[in-house]
């Protein structure tokens, strides 16, 4: 299994720009991945802080 499928970012979904994740097949072209915004803490909902 050596397929790599990278999908476009969903429309109207908040994403994170704090860091980037890229993937590739060995010796192949790099592809950036969409990073979802994740809300945490059920009492005070807020974006997760990156330490």
């Amino acid at each position: 299994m050596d397929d790599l499928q990278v999908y476009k970012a969903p429309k109207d979904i908040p994403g994170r720009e704090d860091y980037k994740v890229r993937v590739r097949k060995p010796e192949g072209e790099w592809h950036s991945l969409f990073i979802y915004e994740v809300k945490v803490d059920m009492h005070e909902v807020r974006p997760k802080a990156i330490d």
Side-chain angles (χ1 to χ4, degrees), residues 29-44:
E29 178 182 348
W30 286 101
H31 300 277
S32 294
L33 300 181
F34 175 77
I35 308 300
Y36 285 91
E37 170 85 37
V38 177
K39 304 289 185 179
V40 296
D41 193 340
M42 61 188 232
H43 299 293
E44 183 183 335

